Amino acid sequence: MKNITVIGAGTMGNGIAHTFAQKGFKVALVERTQEAIDRGLGTISKNLDRMIAKERITEADKSATLGNITTFLDLKTGVAQADLVVEAATENVDLKLKIFSEMDEFAPADCILSTNTSSISITQIAAVTNRPEKVIGMHFMNPVPIMKLVEIIRGYSTSDEVTTTIMELSKQLGKTPTEVNDYPGFVANRILMPMINEAIETLYNGVAGVEEIDTVMKLGMAHPMGPLQLADFIGLDVCLSILNVMHDGFKNPKYAPCPLLVNMVMAGKKGVKSGEGFYDYSESRKAEKVSASFK
């Protein structure tokens, strides 16, 4: 397996492309606009520069990594030579189903189709293809070049051969693959999102403030980042989407998103990506200043 196509150059997509390219794979990075491509490549370049500054790689390594990435604005062309496609588009089920239908049509018959979804059913995604046995979940963690875990999710029809191939491929990337079953939220978000949602409920109910909630979890539970800061980092819109998927999938009220989260997303307060969430990022991307809405 040499040729990898990544669909989407956003936060997860550019991280996945970076990781494969740094390990010597030929990567086709597909996006809808040149602006999105340029932004994704810019992020990869900056992240490589940080690694150079920390003496983890050399300038030659950076050049080789960027040289392994070719960009495409057309999905049909971008997947034409792929041995594996990793879809990393927005966490929207209708969009993912459309992309998988197109990938199935244009990718080689022996190509494995994977998705970086953090909550949507692999079985549902695979059902729109003519190769459900070759569809699998590869849920990378953010930031992809640093985080070791990859959740490997088998759909109902995913073959043993494809699962073994993707597990071994993940190890080649220096990751630790962990196989989980296909249920809403899988493992990572089934546990993480209710915790984040409960932290938002705690704020919503006036139990404590933003900094206080995050401090309790950082100092009391040894979390490297408080749940409200983490929600901002993930994106409040992404958190809301995942909670909605789990709430719809399980029909259990414990997964219902907090009204405060719903209102913040509707108001465009999505966290770091929008410049404001529970914290104000207008002056720094670090969670150093609580949003004026919560003071």
Side-chain angles (χ1 to χ4, degrees):
M1 187 171 288
K2 298 178 180 179
N3 299 318
I4 311 298
T5 295
V6 179
I7 308 295
T11 300
M12 297 304 295
N14 70 61
I16 294 167
H18 170 166
T19 301
F20 274 105
Q22 192 175 338
K23 290 295 184 179
F25 292 89
K26 297 300 181 183
V27 177
L29 183 58
V30 180
E31 255 294 357
R32 291 176 293 180
T33 67
Q34 189 60 48
E35 181 184 10
I37 287 286
D38 293 343
R39 192 163 51 242
L41 290 177
T43 298
I44 294 171
S45 182
K46 289 178 183 177
N47 288 337
L48 290 167
D49 285 339
R50 290 192 186 97
M51 297 176 79
I52 291 171
K54 295 178 181 178
E55 298 184 343
R56 293 178 180 172
I57 64 170
T58 64
E59 285 284 356
D61 294 328
K62 176 184 176 180
S63 296
T65 298
L66 293 175
N68 283 333
I69 301 173
T70 305
T71 61
F72 295 86
L73 296 175
D74 174 59
L75 185 144
K76 180 178 180 180
T77 310
V79 303
Q81 304 298 322
D83 298 312
L84 167 70
V85 182
V86 185
E87 171 273 317
T90 304
E91 193 74 351
N92 177 288
V93 64
D94 292 332
L95 176 61
K96 290 186 185 295
L97 295 181
K98 179 177 183 294
I99 290 172
F100 267 79
S101 179
E102 292 178 359
M103 292 193 309
D104 183 49
E105 180 180 358
F106 299 124
D110 59 351
C111 176
I112 296 172
L113 307 181
S114 73
T115 174
N116 183 59
T117 182
S118 54
S119 61
I120 298 169
S121 168
I122 308 305
T123 302
Q124 181 182 8
I125 290 172
V128 301
T129 76
N130 293 307
R131 61 182 94 186
E133 74 285 354
K134 293 183 181 296
V135 177
I136 195 166
M138 291 185 77
H139 179 208
F140 290 85
M141 304 294 128
N142 185 27
V144 180
I146 295 172
M147 299 292 279
K148 293 292 186 182
L149 176 66
V150 184
E151 273 190 309
I152 306 299
I153 309 102
R154 295 181 65 146
Y156 186 83
S157 300
T158 307
S159 71
D160 291 341
E161 180 183 2
V162 165
T163 302
T164 299
T165 297
I166 296 303
M167 292 285 282
E168 291 303 315
L169 178 66
S170 299
K171 292 175 184 177
Q172 290 179 41
L173 296 176
K175 304 300 185 185
T176 302
T178 302
E179 184 180 339
V180 304
N181 290 321
D182 186 20
Y183 291 95
F186 315 132
V187 172
N189 282 317
R190 184 169 180 172
I191 295 171
L192 175 63
M193 286 302 153
M195 184 193 74
I196 286 177
N197 199 44
E198 193 63 30
I200 299 171
E201 286 278 4
T202 302
L203 176 66
Y204 180 57
N205 292 328
V207 178
V210 171
E211 285 186 302
E212 289 75 15
I213 291 168
D214 277 354
T215 297
V216 166
M217 296 305 291
K218 286 189 289 185
L219 300 185
M221 286 69 188
H223 290 194
M225 188 182 295
L228 300 178
Q229 181 186 357
L230 180 56
D232 276 354
F233 180 71
I234 294 169
L236 301 189
D237 54 335
V238 175
C239 293
L240 179 58
S241 293
I242 295 169
L243 284 164
N244 281 333
V245 167
M246 293 197 296
H247 187 221
D248 181 62
F250 290 116
K251 302 296 189 292
N252 189 322
K254 75 177 181 179
Y255 298 114
C258 176
L260 174 58
L261 174 61
V262 175
N263 282 343
M264 289 178 71
V265 173
M266 285 195 297
K269 310 298 184 182
K270 300 178 182 178
V272 177
K273 69 174 75 175
S274 69
E276 184 181 353
F278 295 105
Y279 293 86
D280 183 338
Y281 302 95
S282 58
E283 298 176 2
S284 171
R285 289 178 65 85
K286 297 180 180 178
E288 299 172 329
K289 181 180 177 183
V290 174
S291 168
S293 301
F294 302 110
K295 289 185 177 179

